[in-house]
Amino acid sequence: MRTRRLAAALVPAGVGLLAFAVYVQTLLPSVGWGDIARFQYVARVWGIPHRFGYPLYIALSRLFGYLPVGDLAYRVNLLSAVSAALAVVMVYFIVMRLVDDWVAAVSAALSFAFSRALWGQAVVAEVYALNAFLIGAVVLILLAWHQTRKIGLLYLGIGLYALSFGNHMTVVTLIPAVVYWILVTDYRVFLDLKKVAILAGLMLLGALQYLYVIVRAHQQPLLNELGPFSWRGWIHWMTRNRFQGQFFGYTLSDQVDRLRIYLELLEKQSFRWGYILGWIGAWERLKADLKSFVFLALVAAGIYVFGMNYGGVTFRIYLVPSYLIFAVFLGCGLNALRRWLAGLLRGQRRWLAQPLIAALAALILVMPLYPLWQNWAEVDHSENTYYRDMARSFVTQAGSDFVLVDSEPHYDDLEAILYVAWGEKGWYGARWVPPGGIDTWLGQRPVYAWADGTAYHDRYVEEPVPGLPGMVLLVGARDE
């Protein structure tokens, strides 16, 4: 019994540590580009990044910023590595909950760990690895509640679900799955005023995270995508009104093609055999327990509907939690394969049956080595220091009071420079301004801009900057 308990703890720990070790080996070593760089410094300045504010992610990345290893950017990148490794462990525990097969659980978890989408998010500072972990944890806890009927697990699951809204609002798509699961597990929860009040209180506590956005908007931090606070502006910022044409812009006739694209992406994450076994596992789960199948399917479907109806280029990243659910089905499929072989060999001589069963288990356990081998080169950022070197070179030459003009084509470079200035140097006097704000600073501070051909350049006298190709120093306004 003691040995079994030790194994029950060591196996998932080993799975998580193996995934984490791989992520660390391929981790971006310093500052990244664009949104990645922004997420690396936003907690240092207690800023408000783009919608939805991400208060939970900011709080956690602030804590990781105190780790005594690497530079600030590296520490925040580690948050993604830890989150992804924990998401992998969630797959292991969910599969164990459903089929109690550690071989299938290990293989499914590591196959998910080394899938292109999750691995790509595990090595840079972004919110999506944490999103996968939180969704996986909520699913695991609610499955445990269903099996044990311990009300504390329901409160824990809903509390964690409410907390997850502070990382990425795509978790709103889980509401149908959560409501369904409560109804089929114990519908009387909704008839008990005390329990309803507790659940509502937990959701309210989760919503209170967004007081951070409101308070900081009033204080006008260095990074403030919301701008001067107003309730109308905040509602506009938090809803799809700010992104018209990107959300649910596809017609009904487009949906067949969107489904085709999703299935192709899903196959790329799982490779052909994992893809087939995942669908077999979904069928086996449906036959074994319709309720849990519908719950998992609703979780994946919510993510699918949101992700595949988003018109932005990042829609693929939104789909990562649906790949987590498919990895669970993969575990169920692997378990079905093991049970099929065991049934086929039942009654056969031990010297024949046991080696064949062991060989299949070994084959299943080494299956994740293929995606590990295939995806390593594509996701490996361990040698990527371009943005660090570029940004540090600029900041060293420009000094602590520079003003940098915004340039959409150079957004990646801009955010890396702001990371070095604000995140590493603590030069909070450095500024970035839109082209319309140049005149406020001209003659007061050195104003730098990218020679990107934008029309505003015609209004200013510019000098090339030695050592910074592609950049100019604005030294005055041209006579009208």
Side-chain angles (χ1 to χ4, degrees):
M1 181 66 70
R2 182 175 299 177
T3 302
R4 184 177 177 84
R5 288 178 180 175
L6 183 62
L10 290 179
V11 172
V15 167
L17 288 173
L18 176 58
F20 180 69
V22 170
Y23 297 154
V24 170
Q25 285 296 311
T26 53
L27 199 70
L28 182 67
S30 187
V31 64
W33 55 94
D35 288 351
I36 294 170
R38 175 170 288 193
F39 279 122
Q40 289 168 332
Y41 73 75
V42 63
R44 178 60 61 89
V45 299
W46 291 116
I48 303 174
H50 47 282
R51 202 187 63 146
F52 301 92
Y54 309 100
L56 176 61
Y57 181 87
I58 289 173
L60 291 176
S61 62
R62 180 82 182 195
L63 291 176
F64 270 75
Y66 292 115
L67 292 175
V69 59
D71 59 19
L72 175 64
Y74 182 83
R75 298 168 208 156
V76 181
N77 294 341
L78 279 175
L79 171 58
S80 291
V82 170
S83 298
L86 289 173
V88 169
V89 175
M90 293 304 102
V91 171
Y92 173 87
F93 280 125
I94 293 171
V95 174
M96 288 296 291
R97 277 267 166 199
L98 296 177
V99 298
D100 193 23
D101 182 343
W102 73 268
V103 172
V106 167
S107 184
L110 290 178
S111 294
F112 179 58
F114 306 138
S115 63
R116 172 64 184 85
L118 179 68
W119 193 353
Q121 293 304 302
V123 295
V124 296
E126 264 288 6
V127 299
Y128 302 105
L130 180 58
N131 192 45
F133 161 59
L134 291 170
I135 289 176
V138 169
V139 169
L140 174 64
I141 293 168
L142 292 181
L143 282 171
W145 169 62
H146 177 79
Q147 293 174 344
T148 65
R149 305 304 168 94
K150 294 179 180 179
I151 193 65
L153 289 173
L154 175 61
Y155 295 151
L156 177 61
I158 296 302
L160 186 61
Y161 180 51
L163 187 67
S164 71
F165 277 74
N167 179 64
H168 202 277
M169 290 291 284
T170 53
V171 295
V172 71
T173 62
L174 270 65
I175 289 177
V178 171
V179 172
Y180 162 80
W181 199 235
I182 295 175
L183 287 173
V184 299
T185 301
D186 186 0
Y187 70 90
R188 292 169 298 181
V189 167
F190 289 126
L191 303 178
D192 188 320
L193 291 181
K194 179 181 177 181
K195 292 177 181 176
V196 170
I198 293 173
L199 294 176
L202 291 169
M203 294 301 293
L204 177 60
L205 286 174
L208 289 177
Q209 297 174 85
Y210 281 90
L211 285 175
Y212 165 81
V213 176
I214 295 171
V215 170
R216 287 300 287 157
H218 279 291
Q219 296 172 340
Q220 286 292 291
L222 287 171
L223 177 65
N224 185 10
E225 282 282 328
L226 176 57
F229 182 80
S230 71
W231 286 108
R232 181 177 181 182
W234 182 70
I235 293 171
H236 178 76
W237 189 67
M238 289 290 289
T239 62
R240 66 186 290 265
N241 294 332
R242 188 170 176 261
F243 296 89
Q244 291 182 1
Q246 291 192 19
F247 287 95
F248 298 98
Y250 295 99
T251 64
L252 188 61
S253 60
D254 293 326
Q255 296 306 314
V256 173
D257 189 55
R258 298 302 288 173
L259 177 60
R260 176 190 61 79
I261 293 172
Y262 176 77
L263 293 177
E264 289 177 355
L265 292 170
L266 185 60
E267 183 178 349
K268 288 179 180 178
Q269 302 305 313
S270 311
F271 293 97
R272 183 61 57 87
W273 60 83
Y275 183 71
I276 294 171
L277 285 168
W279 287 113
I280 291 173
W283 174 250
E284 290 294 321
R285 179 81 330 232
L286 186 152
K287 292 191 300 180
D289 182 8
L290 177 62
K291 291 179 181 178
S292 65
F293 169 80
V294 172
F295 173 55
L296 294 172
L298 283 174
V299 172
I303 298 295
Y304 166 85
V305 170
F306 183 90
M308 294 308 296
N309 284 279
Y310 174 66
V313 295
T314 58
F315 80 92
R316 290 176 175 84
I317 309 173
Y318 292 164
L319 300 172
V320 171
S322 73
Y323 302 150
L324 182 150
I325 299 300
F326 195 75
V328 170
F329 287 144
L330 171 59
C332 296
L334 292 170
N335 170 256
L337 183 61
R338 278 165 50 79
R339 286 187 289 106
W340 170 80
L341 182 62
L344 190 66
L345 296 175
R346 187 173 294 117
Q348 299 293 326
R349 296 180 183 275
R350 175 179 288 186
W351 64 265
L352 174 64
Q354 286 191 345
L356 288 175
I357 291 172
L360 178 61
L363 182 63
I364 289 173
L365 288 172
V366 301
M367 191 173 76
L369 292 178
Y370 186 76
L372 175 67
W373 170 60
Q374 284 287 303
N375 292 328
W376 186 293
E378 190 172 355
V379 301
D380 184 12
H381 285 290
S382 60
E383 302 296 326
N384 187 350
T385 61
Y386 167 78
Y387 287 95
R388 180 193 67 189
D389 298 340
M390 176 278 301
R392 288 179 179 174
S393 175
F394 172 86
V395 168
T396 299
Q397 186 161 337
S400 62
D401 61 347
F402 70 84
V403 175
L404 188 58
V405 182
D406 195 5
S407 173
E408 185 173 346
H410 295 277
Y411 172 70
D412 289 346
D413 298 334
L414 170 68
E415 291 298 327
I417 290 171
L418 292 179
Y419 158 80
V420 173
W422 294 343
E424 287 190 356
K425 299 290 188 180
W427 292 350
Y428 302 130
R431 291 288 185 272
W432 66 280
V433 297
I438 293 174
D439 291 344
T440 302
W441 301 98
L442 198 62
Q444 307 297 319
R445 292 193 188 184
V447 179
Y448 294 87
W450 280 276
D452 55 9
T454 310
Y456 77 85
H457 286 281
D458 295 335
R459 303 198 305 269
Y460 299 98
V461 178
E462 301 175 343
E463 295 179 353
V465 183
L468 296 175
M471 301 200 76
V472 294
L473 178 66
L474 278 58
V475 296
R478 295 185 186 276
D479 296 332
E480 296 293 339

